[in-house]
Amino acid sequence: MNLSGQVVLVTGAGQGIGKACALAMAKAGADVAAVDINGESVKETASAIAGLGRRSLALRADLGSVAEIDRMVAEMIAVFGRIDTLVNNAGVTRRADIMDLTEEDWDRTHRVNAKGVFFCLQRAAREMIPRRSGRIINIASIAGKGYAGTSNAIYAASKGAVISLTKTAAQQLGPYNINVNAVCPGIVRTAMWREINRISAETEGRSPEEVEASKLETVPIRRANEPEDIADMVVFLASPNSRNVTGQAFNVDGGLVPH
Ligand code: NAD
């Protein structure tokens, strides 16, 4: 997959899946703006990209705020002049049962996972429409397709929102030659996953290793994803090879959910 000449914006790029996507895209030849609420970690991602010989930019922004999204896009445009691909990856959750969830959980989760994803998409599309070209890749989750092992119901609803938004945005932005797709990861070994496991282990009185082993038994292919497994799909969806693929939500989950 060749992304040379592309300018890419990756959100939540300070660690985990976002960082893996930023690095994989740089390896495929793209220049990358890496954004995160954690200004320190995103600087490390940007220097790793520069180490690969690509142009990079580290941006700190809280993507739950539309004003900060506007500032981030303006800073990116000032440096790179355009956005070819947006990887809408930043997200939050916490492990909790449905009856323990609060209004604060709803607001905190949907502020980033649904509102942030929508306004990043809309603001990036604003830059793409005049150029009649663009790719938008939203990182959803199999939680949005009914995965029984989801971290919580509010998170699942926020990822369902991302999948629906992807389909409607693909229809409405398609005439401008903008492809919009979602990737739905299953179990990915990141800080988010380790924290979910830690809480599950605490509540169930088991070790995190036991919890992980029992979760992996439910995966038909019997292994978890590394962040790079998600990045490989993202690189494909940003590449010329997927020019007629749009409005889809692809699982990368080892077969955990069958649809
Ligand atoms: P992570 O917690 O390791 O990384 C998330 C990154 O997003 C962090 O660097 C964090 O600082 C950043 N972020 C959080 N809130 C932000 C905000 N308001 N503004 C800007 N940046 C913010 O998580 P991860 O596992 O790499 O997950 C990345 C995405 O993949 C998320 O959308 C998550 O829901 C999704 N996902 C993860 C898994 C998994 O098993 N890890 C499974 C399915 C989907």
Side-chain angles (χ1 to χ4, degrees), residues 95-213:
R95 169 75 198 108
D97 288 324
I98 191 163
M99 299 314 293
D100 296 330
L101 291 165
T102 63
E103 182 180 9
E104 193 198 341
D105 284 317
W106 180 277
D107 291 343
R108 185 183 74 93
T109 308
H110 282 254
R111 177 179 179 273
V112 182
N113 298 14
K115 176 183 158 188
V117 163
F118 174 71
F119 284 102
C120 284
L121 174 148
Q122 188 200 52
R123 282 356 198 218
R126 233 181 230 171
E127 301 300 324
M128 293 169 177
I129 285 171
R131 302 182 53 251
R132 296 292 190 273
S133 172
R135 300 289 175 99
I136 297 173
I137 302 153
N138 298 320
I139 305 301
S141 169
I142 56 170
K145 293 185 173 182
Y147 171 49
T150 184
S151 51
N152 73 60
I154 285 175
Y155 174 77
S158 75
K159 294 301 187 176
V162 174
I163 294 168
S164 304
L165 168 62
T166 299
K167 293 179 198 292
T168 302
Q171 286 157 2
Q172 298 191 3
L173 297 174
Y176 302 103
N177 192 29
I178 299 170
N179 303 45
V180 188
N181 288 290
V183 178
C184 300
I187 295 170
V188 193
R189 288 205 174 95
T190 66
M192 178 185 278
W193 159 249
R194 282 191 294 277
E195 178 58 13
I196 292 167
N197 250 8
R198 191 186 65 76
I199 303 291
S200 299
E202 221 170 75
T203 5
E204 294 164 23
R206 296 196 287 165
S207 73
E209 292 74 24
E210 283 169 332
V211 171
E212 173 159 351

Side-chain angles (χ1 to χ4, degrees), residues 14 34-46 58-61:
V35 190
D36 205 286
I37 197 168
N38 182 334
E40 288 312 306
S41 64
V42 85
K43 272 187 207 154
E44 286 173 28
T45 303
L59 296 171
R60 196 211 154 271

Side-chain angles (χ1 to χ4, degrees), residues 52-66:
L52 293 166
R54 307 310 320 165
R55 290 178 74 203
S56 70
L57 178 66
L59 296 171
R60 196 211 154 271
D62 175 359
L63 300 172
S65 150
V66 179

